[in-house]
Amino acid sequence: MSRIVGSKQAEQLKQYGNNYFQKNRFGAAIDAYTEAITLCPNIPIYWTNRALCHRKRDDWKRVEEDCRKAIQLDHNSVKAHYYLGLALLQKEEYAEGVRELEKALDLGRGANPGRYIVEEIWEELAKAKYMEWEHESTRRSWELQNLKESCESALKEKHVLASFQTEGHKDENSLPKQLEAIGGVFMKAAADDTPTEVPDYLCCNITLDIFRDPVITTSGFTYERAVILDHLQKVGKFDPITREPLYPSQLVPNLAIKEAVRAFLDRHGWAYRIE
């Protein structure tokens, strides 16, 4: 009986915490969730709700602590992995933070792909990936530029020595051509880090943005899952291109496009940029 009473009290305290949170009274919300945790420490949502309050107060150490506890209780907690990923990014533990965000994204897509949090997680993951690319791209660019300058200097030096050995006779056209060839080689080496356009087949027919969670319809067209689900719910149960009848149950993950997008983003981190 006491366990049932405690559980009801904990749920009531959670509701109090939710109300406080809605009014931006994060300290009071934390107190309410803490009382709920004291009564029922094995309920993961109490921990993730408190973690969200800590996030709002930029208390990332406590965010991490609460999320790790929530994950111990529920390995499939989308919010716990998501908030933990954000906390780790704040600590500049980028690799582990990105892994947690990717885990949250996969879990979120499986649980309820239309939820706002899936989009939110993807945007945070994209920002982290873009920052990672920007850092690595700057390093690679600096290294390539230094190597290019060294090659050009060595080539010029070789050209001068050759002219002395041939008693001043030299081919005036050979050096510019060789320097141009070196420039071309280094331009190709930097191509992956040079922003261009994302291929059309990797972009949604509706949003024109690169796919995040592509699904294919019975008519063979591929759309972003959240976008086509929104269309089916708000506009009508038909394919926006062919106008043929279409239902959510007929959407199938396009694994080939998903893998192609992953491969493209791995090579071209600049494509993670969100305008």
Side-chain angles (χ1 to χ4, degrees):
M1 183 65 179
S2 60
R3 180 181 296 179
I4 295 174
V5 172
S7 177
K8 287 183 178 180
Q9 289 178 342
E11 277 298 302
Q12 185 63 58
L13 286 163
K14 185 193 81 168
Q15 190 57 52
Y16 290 155
N18 292 350
N19 294 337
Y20 287 134
F21 181 86
Q22 292 297 327
K23 296 175 182 178
N24 294 327
R25 295 179 60 188
F26 304 124
I30 287 171
D31 290 341
Y33 294 136
T34 300
E35 288 188 54
I37 288 170
T38 301
L39 290 170
C40 296
N42 295 325
I43 307 297
I45 194 171
Y46 298 166
W47 295 91
T48 53
N49 281 8
R50 192 171 72 173
L52 179 57
C53 294
H54 291 315
R55 176 190 174 190
K56 292 292 185 179
R57 303 176 89 180
D58 290 327
D59 191 343
W60 294 103
K61 180 181 178 181
R62 286 189 167 86
V63 171
E64 180 181 355
E65 291 171 352
D66 280 359
C67 288
R68 291 195 185 279
K69 179 61 180 179
I71 290 170
Q72 286 178 5
L73 297 169
D74 178 9
H75 295 298
N76 295 324
S77 172
V78 176
K79 290 183 179 180
H81 286 288
Y82 174 35
Y83 301 153
L84 177 58
L86 295 179
L88 292 170
L89 292 177
Q90 289 293 323
K91 291 172 62 178
E92 299 185 357
E93 295 180 11
Y94 294 111
E96 190 178 349
V98 165
R99 280 197 298 272
E100 289 296 331
L101 291 180
E102 289 175 335
K103 176 72 172 176
L105 188 61
D106 288 341
L107 289 170
R109 285 170 173 167
N112 189 345
R115 286 196 304 174
Y116 77 92
I117 198 169
V118 174
E119 179 71 13
E120 187 179 315
I121 294 169
W122 197 95
E123 289 182 359
E124 291 292 344
L125 177 61
K127 283 193 290 186
K129 287 278 195 178
Y130 184 79
M131 284 176 54
E132 187 178 43
W133 167 80
E134 204 168 32
H135 174 76
E136 289 300 312
S137 175
T138 300
R139 180 186 59 78
R140 286 191 295 266
S141 178
W142 182 82
E143 290 176 351
L144 281 174
Q145 183 60 32
N146 281 347
L147 183 57
K148 179 172 178 284
E149 290 174 0
S150 296
C151 290
E152 289 173 341
S153 296
L155 185 61
K156 290 174 183 177
E157 186 175 328
K158 178 183 177 183
H159 188 76
V160 170
L161 289 174
S163 68
F164 281 124
Q165 291 171 357
T166 55
E167 298 181 352
H169 177 72
K170 57 183 179 180
D171 183 354
E172 296 293 339
N173 295 321
S174 65
L175 180 60
K177 287 181 179 179
Q178 290 173 335
L179 289 174
E180 183 179 351
I182 286 177
V185 169
F186 280 93
M187 186 176 295
K188 287 181 180 178
D192 285 347
D193 282 333
T194 304
T196 55
E197 290 187 5
V198 178
D200 289 342
Y201 74 96
L202 297 181
C203 298
C204 175
N205 287 304
I206 298 175
T207 66
L208 305 182
D209 291 330
I210 192 166
F211 281 116
R212 305 172 185 187
D213 189 13
V215 291
I216 190 168
T217 67
T218 52
S219 58
F221 287 97
T222 299
Y223 301 98
E224 181 63 35
R225 184 193 295 271
V227 174
I228 190 63
L229 286 174
D230 188 63
H231 166 85
L232 296 177
Q233 180 182 357
K234 296 179 180 179
V235 182
K237 301 293 192 295
F238 60 88
D239 188 305
I241 293 180
T242 66
R243 316 297 287 185
E244 295 176 2
L246 181 64
Y247 299 92
S249 60
Q250 294 175 297
L251 301 176
V252 178
N254 192 329
L255 299 180
I257 290 296
K258 186 176 181 178
E259 186 55 38
V261 167
R262 187 191 301 274
F264 184 84
L265 289 171
D266 284 345
R267 288 190 60 192
H268 307 282
W270 50 263
Y272 275 111
R273 183 169 184 174
I274 298 175
E275 299 296 339

